[in-house]
Amino acid sequence: MYFYEVINLVNLKKFVVVCGHYGCGKTNFSINLANYLINKGNQVTLIDFDIINPYFRSSAYIDLLKEKGIKLISPIYANSNLDLPAVPPEIYSVFLNKNEYAIFDVGGDAAGTMLLSRFSQEIINTNSYDMLYIINKYRKETSNSESAVKILKEIESASKLNATAIVNNSNLQSSTTSKDIMKSEIYANEISKQTNLPVIMTIALDNISAELKSKAKNIFEIYMYVKPPWF
């Protein structure tokens, strides 16, 4: 896995906030990023900050994460019938350990980002955070650059944090083709121009990443760990 290095990840900050609209692929990206970083010999903690969507959240993959050596911190009531915005005290430990990466998998849109605002000042005070905005051209709510930019502004306002980069995760899940990804480049570039944020990588599933090696920039190969419950 990970045939192609993403130069931008060399300078990735220790605190990584992964945000975006529902269904854009935040959780799958977060798990793949955590796996990538731990394979490079880093310590990694993945923080599940998604208290909105019960189907796609990091806490559901605790066994997988444990197997890979990735520490998970999740809401106290995760995977129960009570989803309240309560986080365990150990969340504060990530701000003390400067030798590890902390990846925050945040809930979709402004409502799902409210919990993060409780820790925004701690994140800002580290002087070492990246907030990656995940975009997906093939989701109805973010199918054009204008709607994607609007949602980003809402997320930034709710979280009290500013995005630092864009990750193009335009996909149609397992039916995605290399052509689908190439068609999304214009869309990603439009969002980049409107927000003045760089597109640091384009995501491709492992079965089509080789086709894109000579066609797209900064391909980040991922595996589909997170699948819809009906698969």
Side-chain angles (χ1 to χ4, degrees):
M1 198 181 296
Y2 309 117
F3 299 127
Y4 316 121
E5 284 294 322
V6 180
I7 297 175
N8 307 78
L9 287 183
V10 173
N11 299 316
L12 194 68
K13 301 297 195 314
K14 290 293 185 179
F15 292 84
V16 185
V17 178
V18 180
C19 67
H21 201 267
Y22 303 110
C24 68
K26 295 186 304 295
T27 295
N28 196 55
F29 170 73
S30 296
I31 293 174
N32 275 275
L33 179 60
N35 189 42
Y36 173 91
L37 292 171
I38 209 158
N39 284 342
K40 293 295 182 182
N42 301 289
Q43 297 178 47
V44 182
T45 294
L46 179 56
I47 302 99
D48 178 4
F49 259 36
D50 190 347
I51 60 168
I52 301 296
N53 193 338
Y55 296 113
F56 306 102
R57 54 192 309 174
S58 305
S59 297
Y61 302 90
I62 184 171
D63 293 336
L64 169 67
L65 296 170
K66 184 177 180 180
E67 178 185 334
K68 294 182 177 298
I70 301 166
K71 181 181 178 181
L72 174 69
I73 297 178
S74 58
I76 294 173
Y77 300 104
N79 297 322
S80 73
N81 59 357
L82 289 174
D83 260 351
L84 301 175
V87 293
E90 63 179 322
I91 182 65
Y92 292 98
S93 67
V94 301
F95 299 108
L96 301 175
N97 189 348
K98 298 180 180 180
N99 297 317
E100 71 173 4
Y101 281 92
I103 301 173
F104 295 80
D105 178 13
V106 183
D109 74 25
T113 314
M114 290 298 292
L115 178 60
L116 183 64
S117 67
R118 290 168 51 182
F119 299 90
S120 60
Q121 195 56 55
E122 282 87 348
I123 293 173
I124 292 171
N125 288 345
T126 67
N127 293 314
S128 182
Y129 86 90
D130 276 309
M131 182 161 160
L132 307 182
Y133 182 46
I134 315 300
I135 59 173
N136 188 342
K137 172 181 173 60
Y138 302 109
R139 295 293 297 178
K140 181 180 178 182
E141 296 84 354
T142 56
S143 59
N144 60 72
S145 60
E146 289 75 17
S147 59
V149 171
K150 180 177 181 293
I151 288 171
L152 173 58
K153 290 180 179 179
E154 293 172 352
I155 289 174
E156 288 180 322
S157 176
S159 67
K160 300 178 183 177
L161 294 170
N162 294 319
T164 59
I166 294 167
V167 172
N168 182 12
N169 190 33
S170 296
N171 72 88
L172 294 164
Q173 297 185 354
S174 59
S175 62
T176 310
T177 67
S178 58
K179 290 183 178 179
D180 294 325
I181 294 178
M182 293 305 300
K183 288 179 180 178
S184 71
E185 280 202 322
I186 295 176
Y187 161 83
N189 289 333
E190 287 176 349
I191 297 173
S192 176
K193 289 178 182 178
Q194 292 178 39
T195 60
N196 199 31
L197 295 173
V199 180
I200 62 168
M201 69 182 82
T202 295
I203 294 175
L205 286 172
D206 54 345
N207 64 328
I208 60 172
S209 60
E211 300 176 40
L212 292 162
K213 183 178 181 180
S214 61
K215 300 177 182 179
K217 297 178 181 179
N218 292 338
I219 293 296
F220 185 57
E221 178 184 317
I222 68 169
Y223 179 77
M224 189 184 289
Y225 293 112
V226 180
K227 298 178 182 179
W230 51 87
F231 267 47

